[in-house]
Amino acid sequence: MLRISLIVAILAGLAVGVLNFVKVKEKVVNLAHDRDNEKSMKETAQHELADTRSTLKKTQSTLAQTQTELASTKDQLNTATKQVEVVTTERDSARKERDSARKERDDARDQLAAYEGTGLKPDQILAMNRQYKSLQAENGMLAKIALERLQKIRALTNELAFYRDPDYSVPLPADLRGKILVTDPKWNFVVLNIGQDQGVLERGELLVNRDGRLVAKVIVRSVQKDRSIANVMAGWQLGEVMEGDQVIPAHPEIKEATDTTASLDRHSQVTASRQ
């Protein structure tokens, strides 16, 4: 009975061993199969990775070439644009020169037609032009002499009137305006920026004002071409006379008395502008 039990135990152990061997073998086979699958998948992935890297490298090369071609195209475009700008500038310049030449041609044609319309020869026209300019110069000189003589007549007239009447007030141009350039409180005189050319006369009186406020009255003692010297009149100094103060006539001329002078002044200015 013991032997039988022992044999049964041995058989049972053998059966269990065989069963375990079968199960282990199955697991080993499955593991080997999984290993082979993983190896195959890994090799496939490696091949795909290599293909992807190769494709990426080709793409990068193509991109670099495209960028180079694009930069070259940009340079060509810039060069072409500059050439177009140069051609446009040259065209505009040529157009302006053409228009200028046409204008000069038309002007010359008009001048020629005007010359032909006079019925005079060119040398006759040149002689008349020289004579006209000579007459202009002579007319301007005469107007200047007439103005100087008129100024002297005015000065002498006022001097004579002053000697006849010590209280006579010398009239000055109503539109006369000036300012003080220099002051000397010690000797009580000022230098004005107006003189004979502006119609200033000796013994003419001027009101000194600053910002519309009366400061003093001065009387002219010496007259030059565009300057004059005046003394501050006693009893008329209401404040300190300063450089830059404005002066206006204390006794403005009436309009009738200035018509002749104004006419000569305008005549002299028109003659000078024509020259």
Side-chain angles (χ1 to χ4, degrees):
M1 191 67 182
L2 180 62
R3 289 181 180 179
I4 293 171
S5 298
L6 182 60
I7 292 170
V8 170
I10 292 171
L11 291 174
L14 290 173
V16 170
V18 171
L19 182 62
N20 289 334
F21 175 77
V22 172
K23 290 183 177 181
V24 168
K25 183 178 180 181
E26 182 180 357
K27 289 182 179 181
V28 169
V29 171
N30 289 335
L31 289 173
H33 184 267
D34 292 340
R35 181 199 63 190
D36 293 339
N37 288 336
E38 289 181 358
K39 183 179 180 181
S40 176
M41 291 175 62
K42 181 179 180 181
E43 290 176 352
T44 302
Q46 288 178 345
H47 287 304
E48 290 178 353
L49 178 61
D51 292 340
T52 302
R53 287 178 176 176
S54 177
T55 303
L56 178 61
K57 186 175 181 180
K58 291 180 180 179
T59 303
Q60 288 177 341
S61 177
T62 303
L63 178 60
Q65 183 178 358
T66 302
Q67 289 177 340
T68 302
E69 293 176 354
L70 178 60
S72 177
T73 302
K74 285 183 178 179
D75 292 339
Q76 294 176 0
L77 177 61
N78 292 333
T79 301
T81 302
K82 291 180 180 178
Q83 291 177 350
V84 170
E85 291 176 352
V86 171
V87 171
T88 303
T89 303
E90 292 177 350
R91 182 198 62 189
D92 294 341
S93 178
R95 184 177 297 171
K96 289 180 180 179
E97 291 178 357
R98 181 200 63 190
D99 295 341
S100 177
R102 286 180 178 177
K103 187 177 184 303
E104 290 178 358
R105 181 200 62 190
D106 295 339
D107 292 343
R109 185 180 297 169
D110 294 340
Q111 291 177 2
L112 180 59
Y115 282 138
E116 292 177 349
T118 61
L120 298 174
K121 296 181 178 180
D123 56 345
Q124 292 175 324
I125 294 175
L126 291 174
M128 292 178 62
N129 186 43
R130 287 193 296 268
Q131 185 179 6
Y132 175 71
K133 289 183 178 179
S134 177
L135 290 174
Q136 276 188 324
E138 184 178 353
N139 190 27
M141 184 170 56
L142 291 175
K144 183 178 180 181
I145 293 174
L147 182 60
E148 290 176 352
R149 290 182 177 178
L150 179 61
Q151 290 173 344
K152 289 181 180 179
I153 291 172
R154 289 178 59 202
L156 292 173
T157 301
N158 283 292
E159 187 175 355
L160 180 60
F162 180 78
Y163 281 122
R164 288 178 176 175
D165 182 7
D167 296 329
Y168 174 74
S169 298
V170 177
L172 297 176
D175 58 350
L176 180 64
R177 298 292 183 273
K179 67 179 181 179
I180 295 176
L181 298 178
V182 180
T183 63
D184 190 334
K186 180 179 179 180
W187 299 102
N188 209 29
F189 76 87
V190 297
V191 178
L192 308 175
N193 69 336
I194 49 178
Q196 184 178 2
D197 289 348
Q198 290 76 35
V200 179
L201 298 171
E202 289 186 7
R203 300 187 183 88
E205 297 178 0
L206 297 160
L207 299 176
V208 181
N209 68 88
R210 185 185 312 127
D211 298 329
R213 181 174 60 86
L214 180 63
V215 177
K217 181 191 283 190
V218 298
I219 182 169
V220 179
R221 297 302 185 189
S222 176
V223 181
Q224 300 175 5
K225 183 177 177 61
D226 56 358
R227 293 287 188 275
S228 55
I229 299 175
N231 289 121
V232 179
M233 298 177 65
W236 279 93
Q237 187 166 359
L238 306 178
E240 182 183 1
V241 178
M242 301 173 61
E243 296 177 2
D245 287 348
Q246 305 295 315
V247 294
I248 59 175
H251 307 287
E253 287 179 333
I254 59 175
K255 185 177 185 301
E256 291 78 3
T258 59
D259 284 343
T260 303
T261 303
S263 177
L264 286 173
D265 287 340
R266 287 193 299 271
H267 181 71
S268 177
Q269 292 172 359
V270 170
T271 301
S273 64
R274 286 179 177 175
Q275 294 175 344

